[in-house]
Amino acid sequence: MLRLVFNPRTARTRLWVRVFIYPFVIKKGKHSKIRSSVRLDLNPNNKFQIGSGSIIESGAIINNGIGDIVIGDNSMITCRAMILAPAIIGNNVVVGISSQVLGLTHDFNDISLSVKEQSVSGTQVTIKDGAWIGGNCCILQGVTIGEHSLVGAGSVVNKDVPPYSVAVGNPARVIKRYDFDKKEWVRVER
Ligand SMILES: CC(C)(COP(=O)(O)OP(=O)(O)OC[C@H]1O[C@@H](n2cnc3c(N)ncnc32)[C@H](O)[C@@H]1OP(=O)(O)O)[C@@H](O)C(=O)NCCC(=O)NCCS
């Protein structure tokens, strides 16, 4: 089925799917925008949904080949960002320039085959409401970024980030948390 939809050599959706099937697959909320230069590699068997007021900026890549991609309301997927399913992105989220949300990974257990010849698998990435992912970040499979949390530029996130936290680095570590009693962000000792 995937071979019918995707060209296996390029991982690009076939032209007939883009022309005839996409209008039925893409679910767009009111005032949402997907710039014309966005590369959409959509599998009609999976969901691709973008909520009202959200935007996917120029040069972004969206691929829901092996799972759903759901983007909430008023969120922004900025220029050249990439979303590989499965991924759920909440409301008022920003995915920064050239950042990657990677719900998909390649299997590599069988050493008699190249990684390219082995299958792929997915574990959902979740980015909760109000979170902000800086530029050039990599959010790896299975990770949840908590509500209103920030990920610093260039970070590689391989573990969950709790709500109201700032995480930076590779691998990303929480450096600040919001203290609701003091009403300010406080440093977390490493
Ligand atoms: C994380 C960020 C928001 C700053 O948060 P902050 O709370 O003001 O952080 P501070 O400047 O106080 O730095 C705290 C510590 O984290 C480190 N740090 C900050 N940002 C970092 C990053 N992106 N990667 C690694 N370390 C970082 C600082 O060096 C400092 O470390 P130290 O205490 O050992 O000296 C900012 O650094 C950042 O990464 N912004 C992203 C900008 C961006 O991507 N813009 C494009 C958006 S589309």
Side-chain angles (χ1 to χ4, degrees):
M1 178 63 189
L2 273 184
R3 274 174 182 270
L4 265 180
V5 174
F6 289 97
N7 178 335
R9 211 166 41 78
T10 61
R12 183 113 224 236
T13 321
R14 294 186 192 279
L15 183 63
W16 72 270
V17 180
R18 297 204 296 271
V19 174
F20 298 111
I21 309 290
Y22 275 15
F24 302 100
V25 171
I26 301 171
K27 303 274 182 265
K28 283 178 72 187
K30 238 183 175 181
H31 307 304
S32 62
K33 259 199 179 71
I34 301 174
R35 299 280 186 214
S36 58
S37 65
V38 172
R39 174 166 163 172
L40 293 172
D41 290 331
L42 302 179
N43 179 347
N45 293 314
N46 297 326
K47 257 194 225 169
F48 171 56
Q49 224 169 280
I50 169 170
S52 51
S54 289
I55 181 160
I56 305 182
E57 277 294 357
S58 308
I61 299 173
I62 305 291
N63 181 314
N64 75 345
I66 65 154
D68 297 337
I69 293 179
V70 176
I71 299 169
D73 298 335
N74 301 312
S75 287
M76 192 174 198
I77 311 301
T78 64
C79 298
R80 299 187 307 279
M82 174 189 261
I83 315 288
L84 277 188
I88 305 292
I89 295 174
N91 305 318
N92 300 304
V93 167
V94 176
V95 176
I97 289 176
S98 298
S99 279
Q100 298 165 24
V101 172
L102 304 175
L104 175 150
T105 191
H106 288 260
D107 298 334
F108 57 91
N109 284 334
D110 184 349
I111 57 155
S112 69
L113 296 173
S114 67
V115 175
K116 188 168 177 273
E117 290 167 307
Q118 297 185 50
S119 56
V120 291
S121 54
T123 318
Q124 184 178 296
V125 173
T126 307
I127 304 182
K128 301 273 194 172
D129 294 352
W132 181 56
I133 313 298
N136 274 313
C137 292
C138 205
I139 315 295
L140 299 180
Q141 68 277 3
V143 162
T144 295
I145 308 292
E147 189 186 346
H148 209 106
S149 284
L150 277 76
V151 176
S155 301
V156 176
V157 188
N158 62 355
K159 293 198 171 65
D160 292 353
V161 174
Y164 294 88
S165 307
V166 178
V168 299
N170 177 8
R173 300 272 183 258
V174 172
I175 55 157
K176 290 185 181 177
R177 287 213 170 102
Y178 192 76
D179 185 322
F180 284 89
D181 297 324
K182 293 182 181 163
K183 294 190 171 38
E184 62 183 19
W185 293 91
V186 294
R187 291 291 291 250
V188 171
E189 289 314 315
R190 293 200 213 193

